Each structure stands twice: as C-alpha cells, then as structure tokens.
Amino acid sequence: MHEMSLADGISRIIMAQAEEHGFSKVLTVRIEIGRLAHVDPDALAFCFGAVMKGTPAESAKLVIERADGLVWCLGCAEQVAINAWGDACPKCGSFDLKADGGDGMRILDLEVE
Ligand SMILES: [Zn+2]
C-alpha cells in the first residue's frame, strides 16, 4: 500500500530526529501533502499509527495540511495551482499541465517533549 510506505518514510525521519535531538516523546507531527498527491489522509493516519507502535511517536497526533497543487502549464510557461488532476489551467484553460511539486509530501514540524 502506498500510504504504508509513506508512513514508513515519515517514521524513519522521526526516528533519525529523535536520535539526533534526544527527545523521548513526539506529541504532534505536522506534514504537508500536495493536493495532487494520490494519498488518502485517513489511510495515511491509520498506517502512521501502525508503524509508530513502540516508538517515541506511538501516541503522536498526525496533522495533515494540504498544499496547493502546483503544476507547470506549457501554454502559459509558468507555474499555476489546480485543485485536482483533470482541472484545466486557471489562466489559459489548457490541459497541457505537468506535475511541478504539487504532489509531494514533507514534514513541516514535530512537537516533542
Ligand atoms: Zn496556462
């Protein structure tokens, strides 16, 4: 499952941070997912809970923020934001769009104690 590998990636980053900064408990994990990423937030939250069992982030709350779906419009030759694949460029109406950062995921911050 796609969400499981994402959760796994998040857990690896958190564990590396825990080792580096020596915190023992993670309260909140805030991540950002592009609107165009094929990720089900509920499934990701479920997988996150599963992979974090037995780690400092076992009871951490996962907060998911949706980032703008940024794509590159070949017609405008500039970056524009759409809400979902299948949408046209809001400026010129073209469907000649390619992914340009709107489908990624990153960790914004961790609240620890
Ligand atoms: Zn355009």
Side-chain angles (χ1 to χ4, degrees):
M1 197 202 305
H2 179 58
E3 280 79 7
M4 189 54 100
S5 61
L6 279 178
D8 208 47
I10 298 169
S11 88
R12 253 177 276 142
I13 294 168
I14 292 174
M15 296 311 286
Q17 291 276 314
E19 201 163 309
E20 190 181 334
H21 300 289
F23 52 77
S24 57
K25 195 174 178 198
V26 181
L27 304 176
T28 311
V29 179
R30 211 156 60 89
I31 64 169
E32 183 182 77
I33 302 175
R35 276 184 207 287
L36 303 180
H38 299 284
V39 175
D40 177 347
D42 289 339
L44 180 58
F46 176 81
C47 294
F48 178 79
V51 297
M52 292 305 171
K53 282 224 159 53
T55 76
E58 178 162 10
S59 52
K61 188 165 153 243
L62 183 67
V63 178
I64 299 172
E65 314 236 343
R66 301 312 299 259
D68 278 350
L70 296 177
V71 292
W72 185 261
C73 174
L74 298 174
C76 300
E78 66 179 86
Q79 200 180 48
V80 296
I82 59 172
N83 287 320
W85 286 119
D87 284 5
C89 169
K91 291 191 175 169
C92 71
S94 163
F95 289 95
D96 273 338
L97 308 172
K98 63 189 181 81
D100 192 24
D103 58 353
M105 183 203 77
R106 66 193 176 103
I107 294 182
L108 295 173
D109 52 46
L110 302 175
E111 191 187 339
V112 302
E113 65 174 26

